[in-house]
Amino acid sequence: MHRSTLSRRRLFRFAAGTLVAAAAPKRGMIVRSTRAEDVEMPLEGFLESYLTPIDRFFVRSHHYVPTVDAAAWRLQVKGKVASPLTLSLDELKKLPRVELVSVLECAGNGRGLYEPSMAGLQWTYGSVGNARWTGVRLADVLKKAGPQTGAIEVLFDGADVAVGTQPEFQRGIPFAKAMDPNTLLAYEMNGEPLPQEHGFPLRVIVPGWAGDSWAKWLTSIEVRDTEFDGFFMKTGYRHPGKPVAPGSAVDPSQMKPVTSLQVKSIIASHVDGESVIPAATKLRGAAWSNESPIASVEVSTDGGRIWKPARLGKDAARFGWRQWEFDWTPPQPAYYSVMVRARNTAGETQPMTQEWNPSGYGHNVVQEVHLNVAVPGKPLPKPAAEPAQEVPAVVRQTCLGCHGEEAISQQRLSRTQWEREIEKMQRWGARVTPDNKEALVDYLSKRYPYRPRK
Ligand SMILES: Nc1nc2c(c(=O)[nH]1)N[C@H]1C(S)=C(S)[C@@H](COP(=O)(O)O)O[C@H]1N2
Ligand SMILES: [Mo]
């Protein structure tokens, strides 16, 4: 069978009844990392349709994507329960079928916009999407197993295997959130079997919460009476929850796990610095929130002095995003500062300046797009592309075994930050000799220094 036929069908059966999902080819995405796969939706994805098409939906995987055989796959429900369960996909699907539309946004969406910058995938706007998720209530599964008194947390584990010596991706959510009727175990996305890269055959849906809680390729659910202390709970995905000095280190014990999303809106029809002709223009984008839906979206075309309501798209769901548009005829050729601001039903809105945090989570500052409204002149010549530079042998040999160069080249880090990054890589299995370390820090901090974003 041709690969294209396989991917169009997305789900296929080998001889002997093995049922696996094919990875869906993605369309025009911004590549943040090739191995593991991390891809970002470009701005036009916000405008394409209310539900983000699967071939436009961002992917964030800490480890390489596993291939799971649905026929052999089982879900374990264990820990502080009266009767531990082992469920096949067919058994799971006998529970009541539930469907909801929800935004899924990575906690790190917008990390690339922080100043000063920090290590991590440099997402800008598009590690977010809006999909219809179908599955069963996690609460129904937990009730079947009979959670015991004292249960405080539910820990998820998936079929993905850690790269190098990085810890396994295991995340937990509070027991009360697990019992929320909107917390699902989904086997379908936009009416199709869950695609391989989005967690086939089963993933967790935690509407209103950041993506790190939405475990993919789910294989085990553990009900706990103590807090799990693995890396991705006690070190990763934590936020100080209060102002800290930009660029400072904060001990993870002084931070809290990332939970609810921030109310946020995006201008997707125009990019910062764009020239537009002085005529009727439509500004467009999307806005989303957490457990409290969007109440309003406002636009300013004068740098935040006057705000006027945008028109909201008719498609709405409690946890879904709202598309918005705003008709604007610039009064005269000039340089305009266009901004968008959302508010939710709880009264939360977006800040005018972004509070900084060490890992760059929860970016939701009011977005500002400068538009040069002008009668078009001669287009400027395109700047010459930077000549490709060869990757030195020491980087190729020490760094490119586990992931590609794009994970490295997008960073904007000081010498100290590069030193820390290389030490982190050593903890995760990179073999760096003291001599190499000097050479690596030297090269990386000169080639990819801290610099303002272009
Ligand atoms: N098993 C597993 N689940 C995971 C991850 C992972 O690396 N492994 N990444 C998480 C993160 S950080 C995010 S933002 C979402 C991304 O979901 P998507 O790739 O379907 O967009 O999946 C979450 N679930
Ligand atoms: Mo994420």
Side-chain angles (χ1 to χ4, degrees):
M1 205 184 277
H2 284 293
R3 209 193 123 75
S4 59
T5 320
L6 293 182
S7 39
R8 231 178 291 135
R9 286 178 47 214
R10 299 234 172 100
L11 197 68
F12 56 96
R13 200 179 282 276
F14 288 124
T18 306
L19 194 64
V20 302
K26 298 272 169 179
R27 180 161 46 96
M29 304 293 277
I30 304 164
V31 176
R32 297 289 167 207
S33 167
T34 47
R35 292 171 295 136
E37 186 192 2
D38 296 294
V39 294
E40 170 169 354
M41 178 181 75
L43 279 177
E44 64 264 24
F46 286 102
L47 309 175
E48 214 165 283
S49 48
Y50 173 65
L51 293 182
T52 310
I54 286 169
D55 65 359
R56 275 276 152 125
F57 209 98
F58 86 97
V59 178
R60 172 55 175 132
S61 300
H62 287 276
H63 315 319
Y64 309 143
V65 170
T67 300
V68 179
D69 170 9
W73 175 91
R74 293 291 181 275
L75 176 66
Q76 308 289 338
V77 186
K78 59 190 189 188
K80 300 286 163 197
V81 291
S83 29
L85 306 173
T86 302
L87 297 170
S88 70
L89 203 52
D90 287 341
E91 286 165 334
L92 192 92
K93 285 180 176 174
K94 288 191 183 120
L95 291 168
R97 185 181 161 94
V98 186
E99 203 168 86
L100 59 79
V101 170
S102 177
V103 159
L104 161 54
E105 181 183 21
C106 180
N109 195 20
R111 176 182 297 123
L113 306 173
Y114 273 97
E115 300 292 351
S117 57
M118 63 288 284
L121 298 175
Q122 299 294 298
W123 306 107
T124 55
Y125 302 104
S127 61
V128 59
N130 189 47
R132 183 185 308 283
W133 309 98
T134 307
V136 301
R137 292 196 169 92
L138 174 54
D140 286 348
V141 174
L142 292 175
K143 282 177 204 156
K144 221 173 136 80
Q148 292 171 345
T149 49
I152 60 159
E153 187 179 81
V154 171
L155 181 70
F156 306 121
D157 199 359
D160 48 344
V161 177
V163 175
T165 48
Q166 193 189 29
E168 291 288 320
F169 185 83
Q170 292 166 295
R171 277 293 282 183
I173 59 174
F175 183 71
K177 189 67 180 172
M179 294 301 283
D180 185 303
N182 294 302
T183 302
L184 309 184
L185 303 180
Y187 45 75
E188 285 176 20
M189 178 179 183
N190 291 352
E192 295 192 33
L194 204 57
Q196 186 184 24
E197 68 280 17
H198 295 293
F200 180 84
L202 193 73
R203 80 173 306 167
V204 181
I205 306 298
V206 193
W209 280 31
D212 45 280
S213 293
W214 296 48
K216 303 195 274 191
W217 312 291
L218 190 66
T219 52
S220 130
I221 298 176
E222 186 195 349
V223 177
R224 299 177 56 94
D225 58 4
T226 56
E227 276 178 25
F228 178 66
D229 62 2
F231 176 83
F232 283 99
M233 286 305 282
K234 285 289 147 134
T235 308
Y237 291 109
R238 293 175 83 88
H239 190 288
K242 57 170 198 270
V244 299
S248 63
V250 182
D251 193 90
S253 68
Q254 300 304 303
M255 300 196 276
K256 294 187 197 69
V258 165
T259 57
S260 292
L261 291 174
Q262 308 294 316
V263 60
K264 182 161 171 179
S265 60
I266 292 294
I267 300 168
S269 55
H270 293 77
V271 296
D272 194 37
E274 194 174 323
S275 288
V276 297
I277 55 166
T281 301
K282 211 181 266 299
L283 304 169
R284 298 168 66 204
W288 63 94
S289 176
N290 38 44
E291 290 91 338
S292 307
I294 289 291
S296 71
V297 176
E298 296 171 308
V299 171
S300 169
T301 57
D302 62 359
R305 279 178 285 274
I306 298 171
W307 294 89
K308 292 183 182 156
R311 230 174 11 258
L312 296 184
K314 62 173 183 355
D315 291 309
R318 176 172 168 199
F319 301 105
W321 68 25
R322 298 299 294 269
Q323 292 177 298
W324 62 265
E325 47 178 57
F326 185 84
D327 292 316
W328 179 51
T329 305
Q332 63 193 47
Y335 193 65
Y336 291 88
S337 155
V338 174
M339 295 176 165
V340 62
R341 176 173 79 182
R343 188 178 298 276
N344 69 13
T345 55
E348 294 166 318
T349 188
Q350 300 177 244
M352 290 300 286
T353 51
Q354 182 69 50
E355 222 158 71
W356 190 92
N357 66 92
S359 300
Y361 297 133
H363 191 272
N364 76 328
V365 69
V366 167
Q367 188 193 350
E368 182 176 24
V369 166
H370 297 95
L371 294 181
N372 185 27
V373 176
V375 180
K378 266 214 197 111
L380 293 172
K382 275 221 172 88
E386 264 181 59
Q389 260 177 302
E390 183 134 357
V391 180
V394 62
V395 174
R396 220 176 328 110
Q397 285 156 11
T398 321
C399 303
L400 302 187
C402 300
H403 50 71
E405 211 220 338
E406 60 299 319
I408 297 172
S409 61
Q410 64 187 299
Q411 309 297 322
R412 306 177 287 135
L413 303 176
S414 66
R415 197 183 165 88
T416 318
Q417 284 175 308
W418 271 119
E419 255 164 29
R420 275 195 231 134
E421 188 66 4
I422 289 169
E423 282 156 18
K424 181 167 92 183
M425 291 306 134
Q426 288 181 283
R427 286 198 297 281
W428 289 353
R431 290 211 291 272
V432 182
T433 64
D435 278 2
N436 280 357
K437 187 168 170 189
E438 243 347 87
L440 286 164
V441 172
D442 242 36
Y443 170 78
L444 293 168
S445 58
K446 285 190 185 119
R447 179 86 177 90
Y448 306 112
Y450 172 72
R451 62 216 183 265
R453 256 192 99 235
K454 275 206 217 91

